[in-house]
Amino acid sequence: MISPIQVRDMSPRHLRNSCTNCSLRELCLPLGLSPEEMQELDGIITQARPIKRGEALYRAGEPFRSLYAIRLGFFKASVISEDGREQVTGFHMSGELMGMDAISTDVHTCDAIALEDSEVCELPFNDIEELSREIPLLQRHFHKVMSREIVRDHGVMLLLGNMKAEERLAAFLLNLSQRFAIRGYSSSSFHLRMTREEIGSYLGLKLETVSRTLSKFQDQGFIKVQNRLIELENIDSLKKLLNTCHDE
Amino acid sequence: MISPIQVRDMSPRHLRNSCTNCSLRELCLPLGLSPEEMQELDGIITQARPIKRGEALYRAGEPFRSLYAIRLGFFKASVISEDGREQVTGFHMSGELMGMDAISTDVHTCDAIALEDSEVCELPFNDIEELSREIPLLQRHFHKVMSREIVRDHGVMLLLGNMKAEERLAAFLLNLSQRFAIRGYSSSSFHLRMTREEIGSYLGLKLETVSRTLSKFQDQGFIKVQNRLIELENIDSLKKLLNTCHDE
DNA sequence: CAAGGAACTTGATATGGATCAAGCCCAATC
DNA sequence: GATTGGGCTTGATCCATATCAAGTTCCTTG
C-alpha cells in the first residue's frame, strides 16, 4: 500500500525549480523521460505558489482547472456532508498530487487546507492531458498516480470498517513514519501537523479517543508524545498491533 | 455523488455487442465519438465473457492486463488485510468499470467476485491508453471514470467515519435504488444480490446489525423486506434519516 | 422429496468508544 | 510579561453496536 522508496533530490539548488525537483517526485522522477520531454513537462508547470498555514488551496464547489503538486508543506483534504459533518479524506505532503477527485465533475469536491506554510505547483489539467497524449510514459505515470489514490482509499476503508481504535492509530503513525522516511526525514521522530480532532476525523474516532490512545501507547512505551512531537520508541510493537489476527 | 442520468439502450439486438451497447454506457455513451472512432474503440473490446455466480473475475495478486466493463450482472470488490479481514470496497453493476486499482502496481489489489451470473468485456489496458492518446474525448472520459471512483471512495469514507448504522443502511439502499433506476429497473423494488454479511462488510457493520436495522426500517414502514427482496415504501423517510442535522 | 447447511432473525449481554465535564498547557497577541 | 483561547488530557458515565446464543427459513443437493 506504500509507494516504492524514492530517493531524495540532491540536485543543486538552481535546478530545484525544474521538473527534477524533489517536490515533484511523484509526477516526474520515476519517468525516465528524455531531456526534451523533461523540458516540455517543465513548460506546463507554473511558478511555485505559496500557501500560508490555514489557507485553502481550493475548496469544494470551486471550478476545477488544475491539479496541484505539493512542493513543500503539508495539507489536509476533507469533504463536508450535506449536514455539515467533516470527513478528512487524507493528509498530503511534498511530492504528492492533489485535486484528482475534481476531474469527474470539473468541480472540486474537497477542501484542501494547508496545515503548515506550503508551496504548490499548479498543473493545468488540459496541459497534462495534452502532454500525456504525446508522452506515453507520462500518461502511464499519471494513470498510476490516480490508481494509487484509489488503492490508498481502499486501505482507509479497511481501516474504518474493520479496525479498532488502537489499530487505527498504530496504522496512522506507521504510515506517517514511512512517508517521512521516504522524504529523507526521521522515521522515528516527527511533528504532527494536524490537531487531534483532525486525526480523529480521518480515523473515524473522536478527539478524546485519539488523545487517550496516544497516552496509552506512551504508557506502554511504544511512543513518546510531547504535544505534537511524536517519537516512535518501539515500532515493532506498533506493527504487531496491526498484524494480530482477530480470530473470526 | 451520483453520475448523471443516462438513458437505457434501445438499440436493436444485433447491435448490442458493439460499443453502443448499454452495458458499456459508462465507457462509451456520453462520448460523442465519430463513427470511425467508435469503430476503433469497438476494435479493442473483446468478446463478452461470462462469469458464473460465485466465480472470480480476478483476484488480488494476479497480474494486471485489462480493465473490465460489466455488460451484465453484479459484482463485489473486496480487499483482504494481511490478517485475513475482508473489506468489501464496492458493489458494481452493468456499465461500470472494474480493475482500476490495479494500474498502480500492475497487480490486482482486490478480489472481484460475481454475485450473480454475469458478463464482462475485457479492455486491454495498453489498448485503452493507446487509443486515448488518439482520441482526446476518450482520454478525458477515462480520466473522469477514474476520478469518479475516487469521489465514490470519499463518500464511503464519510459514511464509515461519521454515520450511524441507520444512516449507513439508508444511504446504501438509496444508492442502490438510484443505480437501478438509471439502468431502467424499478427504483422502489429490487433484489439484493449480496448477503447481510457482505452488506455489513461494506458498511462497517456486523451482519446482525444489518438484519436488525432492516427489520427496524420495516417496522417503521420505510421498507418491506422479504429475504433479499427490498421494497422501498417511503423513500422520503429514508432520505430524512440522512439529512438530519447531527448538532455539533 | 428429504436432509443438510448456509443465511437470516431475534433476544440477552458485554464492551469499546462516544459523550459530558473539568481542568491544564501552550502559543499567540497585546 | 500577562492574558486569552484553542488544543489537549483525563475522569465518569452512557449508549450504540458487537458479541454470544438459539432457533427459523430457505436453498441446494442428493
Side-chain angles (χ1 to χ4, degrees):
Chain A
M1 209 157 78
I2 293 299
S3 51
I5 300 270
Q6 290 158 336
V7 291
R8 189 146 122 101
D9 179 20
M10 294 304 181
S11 58
R13 194 109 194 69
H14 69 277
L15 286 179
R16 289 270 173 116
N17 207 21
S18 85
C19 176
T20 56
N21 189 304
C22 80
S23 72
L24 299 181
R25 71 163 72 71
E26 180 164 61
L27 201 65
C28 312
L29 265 200
L31 285 176
L33 300 185
S34 73
E36 299 78 42
E37 290 170 333
M38 279 296 211
Q39 208 158 20
E40 279 193 282
L41 184 48
D42 250 21
I44 72 167
I45 299 174
T46 61
Q47 187 71 22
R49 174 172 133 210
I51 311 279
K52 285 240 176 63
R53 181 157 77 93
E55 281 181 10
L57 173 56
Y58 52 78
R59 287 194 179 275
E62 290 178 9
F64 167 65
R65 210 158 295 119
S66 302
L67 300 176
Y68 297 91
I70 305 173
R71 250 174 79 81
L72 197 87
F74 204 95
F75 287 82
K76 72 166 175 179
S78 56
V79 295
I80 312 277
S81 69
E82 288 159 31
D83 55 333
R85 285 176 279 189
E86 179 187 37
Q87 173 71 32
V88 171
T89 56
F91 296 107
H92 300 281
M93 44 209 288
S94 63
E96 293 177 354
L97 208 57
M98 297 189 73
M100 292 176 290
D101 53 277
I103 297 168
S104 69
T105 56
D106 290 321
V107 168
H108 285 284
T109 63
C110 304
D111 292 356
I113 310 288
L115 296 183
E116 63 181 27
D117 293 352
S118 302
E119 282 179 31
V120 300
C121 289
E122 193 172 335
L123 304 163
F125 186 58
N126 285 334
D127 295 347
I128 293 182
E129 285 193 328
E130 197 180 317
L131 206 54
S132 76
R133 270 180 257 134
E134 291 163 23
I135 310 177
L137 265 172
L138 178 63
Q139 180 193 37
R140 170 58 57 101
H141 192 68
F142 175 59
H143 291 158
K144 280 181 188 278
V145 170
M146 285 203 88
S147 172
R148 199 180 309 154
E149 177 74 16
I150 292 172
V151 173
R152 192 188 67 80
D153 290 347
H154 289 173
V156 177
M157 287 185 212
L158 180 66
L159 179 144
L160 291 171
N162 278 289
M163 294 187 183
K164 297 253 184 52
E166 288 187 24
E167 302 176 283
R168 296 184 197 190
L169 242 316
F172 174 71
L173 293 174
L174 290 169
N175 176 268
L176 276 186
S177 163
Q178 268 202 56
R179 290 159 72 196
F180 283 125
I182 287 171
R183 283 159 182 78
Y185 300 114
S186 169
S187 66
S188 61
S189 173
F190 47 84
H191 183 80
L192 298 174
R193 272 73 171 179
M194 71 294 281
T195 66
R196 304 289 192 260
E197 188 169 19
E198 287 162 338
I199 297 172
S201 170
Y202 181 58
L203 298 178
L205 301 169
K206 291 296 166 186
L207 70 98
E208 293 96 328
T209 304
V210 173
S211 178
R212 267 187 253 274
T213 307
L214 288 176
S215 298
K216 192 185 216 175
F217 284 172
Q218 180 164 242
D219 293 346
Q220 291 172 309
F222 298 169
I223 66 175
K224 240 175 85 181
V225 189
Q226 277 178 299
N227 281 317
R228 297 194 182 176
L229 181 69
I230 299 286
E231 296 190 49
L232 305 188
E233 308 211 296
N234 192 341
I235 292 194
D236 287 343
S237 298
L238 288 176
K239 286 184 180 160
K240 220 175 291 167
L241 271 181
L242 286 180
N243 295 334
T244 309
C245 190
H246 299 263
D247 54 284
E248 118 168 39
Chain B
M1 209 155 76
I2 294 299
S3 52
I5 301 272
Q6 290 157 336
V7 290
R8 188 146 124 101
D9 179 21
M10 294 304 181
S11 58
R13 192 111 197 66
H14 70 279
L15 284 180
R16 289 267 172 121
N17 208 21
S18 83
C19 174
T20 55
N21 189 303
C22 80
S23 73
L24 299 181
R25 70 163 74 70
E26 180 166 60
L27 201 65
C28 311
L29 264 201
L31 285 176
L33 300 186
S34 73
E36 299 78 41
E37 290 170 333
M38 279 295 212
Q39 207 157 20
E40 281 193 280
L41 184 48
D42 249 19
I44 72 167
I45 299 175
T46 61
Q47 187 70 22
R49 174 173 135 209
I51 311 277
K52 285 238 176 63
R53 183 156 76 94
E55 281 181 8
L57 173 57
Y58 52 77
R59 285 194 179 276
E62 290 177 7
F64 166 66
R65 213 158 293 119
S66 301
L67 299 177
Y68 298 92
I70 305 173
R71 249 175 80 83
L72 198 87
F74 204 95
F75 287 82
K76 73 166 173 178
S78 57
V79 295
I80 313 277
S81 69
E82 287 158 32
D83 56 332
R85 284 175 281 188
E86 179 188 36
Q87 172 72 32
V88 172
T89 55
F91 296 108
H92 299 283
M93 44 210 288
S94 64
E96 293 177 353
L97 206 58
M98 296 189 75
M100 291 177 288
D101 53 278
I103 297 169
S104 69
T105 56
D106 290 322
V107 167
H108 285 285
T109 63
C110 305
D111 292 357
I113 310 288
L115 296 184
E116 64 182 28
D117 293 352
S118 302
E119 283 179 30
V120 300
C121 288
E122 193 173 336
L123 304 164
F125 186 58
N126 285 333
D127 295 348
I128 294 181
E129 284 193 329
E130 196 180 317
L131 206 54
S132 76
R133 270 180 258 133
E134 292 163 22
I135 309 177
L137 265 172
L138 178 64
Q139 179 193 37
R140 169 58 56 101
H141 192 68
F142 175 59
H143 291 159
K144 281 182 189 278
V145 170
M146 286 203 88
S147 172
R148 200 181 308 155
E149 176 73 17
I150 293 172
V151 173
R152 191 189 67 80
D153 291 347
H154 289 173
V156 177
M157 287 186 213
L158 180 66
L159 179 143
L160 291 172
N162 277 290
M163 295 187 182
K164 297 257 185 47
E166 288 187 25
E167 302 175 283
R168 294 184 198 190
L169 243 316
F172 174 71
L173 294 173
L174 290 170
N175 176 268
L176 276 186
S177 162
Q178 269 202 55
R179 289 159 72 198
F180 283 125
I182 287 171
R183 284 159 181 78
Y185 300 113
S186 168
S187 66
S188 61
S189 172
F190 48 85
H191 182 80
L192 298 175
R193 273 74 172 177
M194 70 296 282
T195 66
R196 305 287 192 260
E197 189 171 18
E198 287 163 338
I199 297 172
S201 170
Y202 182 59
L203 299 179
L205 302 169
K206 291 296 166 187
L207 70 96
E208 294 95 329
T209 305
V210 173
S211 177
R212 267 186 253 274
T213 307
L214 288 176
S215 298
K216 191 183 217 174
F217 284 172
Q218 180 164 240
D219 293 346
Q220 292 171 311
F222 298 169
I223 66 175
K224 239 174 86 181
V225 189
Q226 276 177 300
N227 282 317
R228 296 193 182 177
L229 180 68
I230 299 286
E231 295 190 52
L232 305 188
E233 307 212 295
N234 193 340
I235 294 194
D236 286 343
S237 298
L238 288 176
K239 285 184 180 160
K240 222 176 289 169
L241 270 181
L242 286 180
N243 295 335
T244 308
C245 190
H246 299 263
D247 52 286
E248 118 169 39

